[in-house]
Amino acid sequence: MGVSENARLVLEKRYLIKDADGKAIESVDGMFQRVAGAIAASDLLHDKNADVERTKKTFYDMMTNLEFLPNSPTLMNAGRPLGQLSACFVLPVEDSMDEIFEAIKQAALIHKSGGGTGFSFSRLRQKGSTVNSTGGVASGPISFMKVFNMATEAVKQGGTRRGANMGILRVDHPDILEFIDCKSNNSEINNFNISVGLTEKFMNAVESGGDYELVDPHTRKVVQKLRARDVFERIVDAAWRNGEPGIIFLDRLNRDNIVPSQGEIESTNPCGEQPLLPYESCNLGSINLTKMLKEEDGVYSFDWKKLERTAKDAVHFLDNVIDANKYPLENIDRVTKQTRKIGLGVMGWADSLLRMGIPYNSQEAVALGEKVMKFITACGREESAALAVQRGAFPLFEESILPQDTPQRNGTISTIAPTGTLSIIAGCSSGVEPVFGYVFIRNIMDGTEMVEVNPILREELEKRGLYSEGLMRRIAKEGTIAHIEELPEDLRRVFVSAHDISPEDHIRMQAAFQRGTDNAVSKTVNFRHDATREEVAEVYSLAFHLGCKGVTIYRDGSRSEQVLNIGKVN
Ligand code: ADP
């Protein structure tokens, strides 16, 4: 199998079955056999004569060729006693002590199994309002978020994942100002990403310069009015300072809510790509686009036939995951199976553009991104319709807003995940993000250094006789090749990194993929350290007008414990 040394290390540490001493007792190949077998077996639920061996082989091949990978919990837990296979959950938080602590317990069970949880805290009454049963005073959503955070910290997930949460508060909640600043110290509420849920009413008030109303969720009374622009500027300022909060556009999430009869969508999963109803869960999977290219005389382009086949097999795979899954709560089992949402996405997009010689920040790349994603979703829909013929449509199909002429097995097909670990396993750029840095220098234990070079850049430089270790060190130091004048112009134009790309171009790419995606797109818009608050505000407006469902930004150097550094030799 062609996984890199890095990938092998990640897999050994967290994915392979281990004995009591923590030694892996499964090979990488064994893991893929286990997963392929467990997921293919779901075919038998619908057809007792199904050729499971054949399906297993299809799934095994597509994973070992690194063409498609399911989300981490599926790789970790399929075919094992725990059997929890989904990455994304949303839990309701209702306005009573009982229900708040019930949600904490439920989240703990999900974290233990490797899933991430999203919550809206918008139903909790505001800080300082009265509590009828005790005559006391409510402490408000932010104080409870801290309890959720502590519980997450304590679970720490024996050897797999650490636990991740999304916390959302509507912009019209009376405690919104406290929420906006609740992570100004990054060590607080550290197991949460937070986002403000923006309404269209609010955005219109920002644009017109008007006021908007804050409503107590408990009494439903208007308690205060604020100038929308002031609040918007507070959000921008906080995000400019350290990347939090993000924003999500609630009305837009609900326009794509396929079953409005079941209630509103109030939250997403931790990284924002998967809006869900309370108790819904979703399993994700990603196609490695670098494996969907064909080469003719050194020129690369998409192999649409292969992409179609892969998307269809992936939908078959993900639908099977829903049935193979062991859900942490009965309610989640029931609600998930009513809509049968799946989230097929992509990784390796930036690497594919490099191969094709198309700059990420070009109109051509934006148009192609939209085309690729629409194609994947359309192929997925075809497969979901074929599965519906054999297995039946999802139970709420008739009350859904989907066109009623072709029954569908799955309420949604596509989602673009960050692919944080999957992209390491597959050895490609993550999700639809641009390449962050082309060269990294790592210190290894005995004091020697290892130079890690993006494989496509290395190949291109070697082909042109330009590769040298000195040049690699320079690229690592400068963080970008755009300014290295000795390099040919065409290379500098194509091999752009996250910081060579303007924030507007980041958003244009996000919007392009959003147009082809049922759910949402995980994307971080990178700003240079010297970017201004106005630039951040402009990007938010652009995202709103281009139809994005949310925005996450990050200004370089704005957090002390930044994970990836440009120009810094680790
Ligand atoms: P992976 O590459 O490991 O499959 P992604 O980076 O694509 O995961 O993240 C997808 C989703 O998985 C996230 O939005 C979140 O819901 C969940 N997730 C990611 N990391 C964690 C974690 N450490 N703990 C719990 N859930 C997580």
Side-chain angles (χ1 to χ4, degrees):
M1 256 215 68
V3 302
S4 69
E5 203 40 45
N6 232 348
R8 198 169 292 280
L9 284 176
V10 171
L11 288 168
E12 270 171 19
K13 206 163 149 208
R14 308 223 316 256
Y15 292 67
L16 305 183
I17 303 179
K18 296 194 182 103
D19 63 14
D21 302 327
K23 206 171 141 279
I25 52 168
E26 175 181 58
S27 64
V28 174
D29 185 71
M31 174 189 79
F32 285 121
Q33 295 276 2
R34 162 170 62 76
V35 176
I39 304 305
S42 295
D43 280 5
L44 290 172
L45 298 172
H46 311 287
D47 172 8
K48 62 182 187 331
N49 299 318
D51 188 348
V52 175
E53 277 311 308
R54 204 174 124 207
T55 307
K56 180 181 171 184
K57 172 120 191 357
T58 303
F59 292 171
Y60 172 84
D61 287 346
M62 144 170 114
M63 290 189 288
T64 49
N65 293 335
L66 302 173
E67 292 165 354
F68 165 83
L69 291 174
N71 58 206
S72 290
T74 301
L75 291 175
M76 290 168 173
N77 301 333
R80 301 186 61 187
L82 181 61
Q84 197 296 100
L85 309 178
S86 296
C88 315
F89 297 81
V90 164
L91 292 171
V93 186
E94 300 290 346
D95 188 28
S96 78
M97 218 41 127
D98 241 23
E99 289 161 305
I100 292 170
F101 283 86
E102 188 58 32
I104 294 176
K105 175 179 142 198
Q106 295 171 347
L109 292 174
I110 292 171
H111 292 167
K112 208 175 100 183
S113 71
T117 43
F119 314 88
S120 162
F121 292 95
S122 303
R123 292 166 185 241
L124 300 190
R125 74 193 74 182
Q126 71 182 99
K127 187 177 182 169
S129 53
T130 49
V131 181
N132 285 340
S133 54
T134 62
V137 172
S139 53
I142 290 88
S143 71
F144 285 113
M145 283 175 70
K146 292 181 183 163
V147 185
F148 279 75
N149 191 65
M150 295 277 278
T152 306
E153 190 72 27
V155 176
K156 290 278 181 189
Q157 298 178 39
T160 54
R161 309 225 267 185
R162 242 184 57 115
N165 300 299
M166 171 64 90
I168 289 182
L169 199 71
R170 288 176 65 96
V171 72
D172 52 13
H173 190 284
D175 291 349
I176 191 63
L177 296 179
E178 184 187 358
F179 179 80
I180 291 169
D181 291 331
C182 77
K183 290 201 66 179
S184 58
N185 177 347
N186 269 132
S187 59
E188 280 210 35
I189 320 190
N190 59 320
N191 298 308
F192 270 88
N193 293 327
I194 61 164
S195 276
V196 178
L198 301 181
T199 59
E200 246 147 51
K201 216 166 150 187
F202 172 82
M203 287 306 285
N204 292 338
V206 171
E207 293 191 350
S208 68
D211 291 346
Y212 80 106
E213 296 170 340
L214 301 187
V215 182
D216 181 345
H218 188 54
T219 60
R220 309 220 169 242
K221 288 204 178 107
V222 176
V223 295
Q224 203 184 338
K225 279 190 178 178
L226 292 175
R227 219 171 80 93
R229 257 185 212 164
D230 292 346
V231 175
F232 186 73
E233 278 165 19
R234 287 278 283 265
I235 298 170
V236 167
D237 179 65
W240 179 88
R241 282 177 193 280
N242 70 359
E244 298 228 54
I247 54 173
I248 59 166
F249 298 117
L250 288 174
D251 301 294
R252 202 156 280 160
L253 299 189
N254 280 294
R255 221 166 283 146
D256 287 349
N257 178 358
I258 54 153
V259 283
S261 52
Q262 298 291 311
E264 267 182 47
I265 291 184
E266 299 169 51
S267 182
T268 68
N269 71 331
C271 303
E273 71 276 16
Q274 188 62 49
L276 292 170
L277 290 165
Y279 291 121
E280 254 186 325
S281 67
C282 185
N283 64 90
L284 312 175
S286 300
I287 296 175
N288 176 358
L289 290 176
T290 66
K291 302 283 185 185
M292 300 295 128
L293 299 174
K294 58 179 197 271
E295 192 225 296
E296 233 169 285
D297 305 325
V299 177
Y300 288 83
S301 61
F302 274 105
D303 179 344
W304 298 98
K305 274 266 158 294
K306 184 173 184 187
L307 184 55
E308 174 177 356
R309 192 62 265 148
T310 309
K312 289 185 169 176
D313 290 337
V315 165
H316 179 184
F317 185 108
L318 295 173
D319 186 61
N320 280 19
V321 171
I322 298 174
D323 294 321
N325 210 339
K326 290 187 192 154
Y327 297 89
L329 294 166
E330 218 176 273
N331 246 347
I332 295 177
D333 189 326
R334 184 179 56 80
V335 175
T336 301
K337 287 178 179 162
Q338 285 188 336
T339 51
R340 303 188 65 89
K341 288 180 180 173
I342 56 172
L344 176 61
V346 298
M347 55 185 161
W349 169 239
D351 280 350
S352 303
L353 290 174
L354 297 180
R355 277 272 182 244
M356 292 183 285
I358 304 172
Y360 186 97
N361 48 353
S362 65
Q363 186 43 44
E364 191 184 357
V366 168
L368 186 58
E370 178 170 350
K371 181 173 169 194
V372 164
M373 203 55 218
K374 282 187 167 161
F375 182 77
I376 290 173
T377 301
C379 295
R381 282 251 160 260
E382 265 179 42
E383 176 67 13
S384 186
L387 289 172
V389 171
Q390 195 201 16
R391 304 177 171 187
F394 63 91
L396 295 182
F397 174 71
E398 281 177 22
E399 70 174 77
S400 79
I401 61 167
L402 296 183
Q404 292 293 303
D405 49 350
T406 322
Q408 289 282 330
R409 179 71 175 156
N410 309 95
T412 66
I413 300 292
S414 46
T415 300
I416 300 189
T419 69
T421 347
L422 294 189
S423 62
I424 298 175
I425 299 172
C428 63
S429 58
S430 52
V432 294
E433 298 289 1
V435 173
F436 194 83
Y438 285 92
V439 184
F440 292 97
I441 297 178
R442 284 184 208 282
N443 291 318
I444 2 188
M445 276 169 292
D446 57 6
T448 49
E449 283 179 344
M450 203 170 89
V451 182
E452 258 179 48
V453 183
N454 174 290
I456 304 171
L457 178 68
R458 180 193 280 261
E459 212 183 292
E460 196 58 39
L461 290 174
E462 280 172 348
K463 205 166 75 191
R464 301 188 192 199
L466 293 168
Y467 187 86
S468 76
E469 183 143 338
L471 177 64
M472 292 310 109
R473 284 181 186 280
R474 196 166 150 209
I475 296 173
K477 192 149 167 279
E478 294 191 15
T480 156
I481 75 162
H483 308 295
I484 299 184
E485 279 166 14
E486 304 88 288
L487 287 175
E489 200 272 336
D490 69 312
L491 274 189
R492 291 190 303 160
R493 203 163 44 82
V494 170
F495 285 80
V496 285
S497 50
H499 281 283
D500 301 323
I501 296 165
S502 72
E504 288 75 13
D505 283 334
H506 277 272
I507 286 290
R508 283 191 191 100
M509 189 61 84
Q510 180 180 333
F513 274 90
Q514 183 61 67
R515 288 192 284 277
T517 303
D518 294 337
N519 294 301
V521 178
S522 168
K523 173 100 189 62
T524 300
V525 177
N526 293 100
F527 283 83
R528 298 203 71 86
H529 185 71
D530 55 14
T532 63
R533 291 169 177 83
E534 289 68 39
E535 290 174 85
V536 174
E538 273 163 31
V539 156
Y540 280 6
S541 293
L542 182 65
F544 179 64
H545 290 292
L546 289 183
C548 295
K549 289 188 174 170
V551 192
T552 304
I553 68 133
Y554 184 69
R555 188 170 58 90
D556 191 39
S558 65
R559 267 184 220 169
S560 48
E561 77 286 17
Q562 190 167 314
V563 188
L564 294 165
N565 287 300
I566 52 163
K568 184 167 159 189
V569 180
N570 292 308

